[in-house]
Amino acid sequence: MEWKKKFTEFIKKYKHAWVLLYIFIYLPWFFWLEKHVTTRYYVVQTEFDKYIPFIEYFIVPYLLWFFFIVAAFLYFFFADVPGFYRLAAFMFSGMTIFLIVSTIFPNGQDLRPVVFERDNIFVDMVRTLYRADTCTNVFPSLHVFNSLSVCIAVFESNEFKKHRAVSLGVYTLAGLIILATMFLKQHSILDTAGACLMAWILYQFVYAPQHRKVLQFVKQKKTAKTSGL
């Protein structure tokens, strides 16, 4: 029947969706941590964090992070399957490391302001965020790491190289999101540094091997041409 044929074609075309089943591993584990890591945890912060001012306006890019990540996944899912696999491998590996670290090293921070100097809609949004999100399980920052994951995926994409304005927009928003984690007192400098280090390490395993293969191929072609001469 026609509908069976269309359904089969749909499954074949989007079979890479199986990767998203990871969410059924991540979410239960994360919510378990949120429930059990509440008061007894290692405080991860520095003296320098005290000098970073609280700026409630950063709640806007901070919340845009959710749309940012979803939009990136949707783009690569439909437009660049190899890129989607690399993005998923990179991001989900980091998220798993985060879960393991939070399990064996319960962590949190005490940077959130108790009293707000101003009262406006942005502060109200921050209050809502604080009620919904605990100050535990912060190292390394997934807000930072996942933002870097999208930046790397975009940077490595041949298609995005043709659209520099879009790429610049992605990098700018990611930068604002990363700053927001600290200006909203959601994360410390150590959380951000840990996320950057994790991104650098995982890059060596997910993206760098492809570059090495390309360089090796180019060298072989040059060698072959030289030998031919």
Side-chain angles (χ1 to χ4, degrees):
M1 296 176 66
E2 187 65 24
W3 69 270
K4 286 186 177 180
K5 182 180 178 182
K6 289 183 178 180
F7 180 74
T8 302
E9 291 175 350
F10 179 85
I11 294 297
K12 287 182 179 180
K13 186 176 181 179
Y14 299 113
K15 61 181 181 295
H16 50 289
W18 70 269
V19 172
L20 300 178
L21 292 174
Y22 172 77
I23 204 69
F24 294 106
I25 297 174
Y26 176 79
L27 286 180
W29 194 344
F30 175 78
F31 285 125
W32 182 87
L33 288 169
E34 286 288 281
K35 184 178 179 180
H36 290 83
V37 181
T38 53
T39 55
R40 300 181 63 182
Y41 54 82
Y42 296 95
V43 177
V44 182
Q45 59 194 59
T46 70
E47 284 296 315
F48 295 105
D49 289 298
K50 297 178 181 178
Y51 297 100
I52 299 176
F54 170 81
I55 303 177
E56 67 271 24
Y57 306 110
F58 274 95
I59 188 65
V60 176
Y62 187 89
L63 294 179
L64 283 176
W65 175 84
F66 298 95
F67 301 99
F68 183 63
I69 300 302
V70 171
F73 260 97
L74 287 176
Y75 170 79
F76 283 99
F77 181 85
F78 289 108
D80 183 357
V81 176
F84 170 79
Y85 274 122
R86 286 192 293 270
L87 173 61
F90 189 89
M91 191 179 291
F92 294 167
S93 295
M95 291 165 69
T96 302
I97 293 172
F98 159 79
L99 291 172
I100 294 172
V101 170
S102 297
T103 301
I104 63 178
F105 179 70
N107 58 82
Q109 49 92 349
D110 301 320
L111 297 170
R112 292 178 173 183
V114 178
V115 179
F116 296 95
E117 297 180 1
R118 296 172 292 278
D119 190 15
N120 53 49
I121 187 172
F122 300 103
V123 171
D124 291 338
M125 292 167 70
V126 174
R127 288 194 182 102
T128 301
L129 172 65
Y130 284 178
R131 287 194 293 268
D133 188 16
T134 68
C135 61
T136 59
N137 307 312
V138 295
F139 181 86
S141 168
L142 282 190
H143 248 71
V144 173
F145 174 76
N146 287 349
S147 297
L148 292 174
S149 299
V150 173
C151 287
I152 291 171
V154 167
F155 179 79
E156 295 290 333
S157 169
N158 290 326
E159 188 60 33
F160 273 99
K161 287 181 173 63
K162 305 173 187 176
H163 306 283
R164 293 190 176 182
V166 177
S167 298
L168 181 60
V170 169
Y171 304 148
T172 301
L173 179 55
L176 290 172
I177 291 170
I178 291 170
L179 290 174
T181 64
M182 292 177 285
F183 282 114
L184 293 180
K185 302 300 178 178
Q186 280 289 90
H187 289 281
S188 72
I189 294 173
L190 288 177
D191 301 332
T192 301
C196 293
L197 177 61
M198 183 167 68
W200 181 82
I201 292 173
L202 287 176
Y203 182 89
Q204 310 309 313
F205 292 95
V206 178
Y207 289 96
Q210 182 64 28
H211 290 296
R212 288 193 287 268
K213 287 181 181 178
V214 172
L215 288 174
Q216 186 177 7
F217 177 74
V218 172
K219 287 181 180 178
Q220 287 176 347
K221 286 193 68 175
K222 287 183 178 179
T223 303
K225 286 183 178 180
T226 305
S227 300
L229 293 174

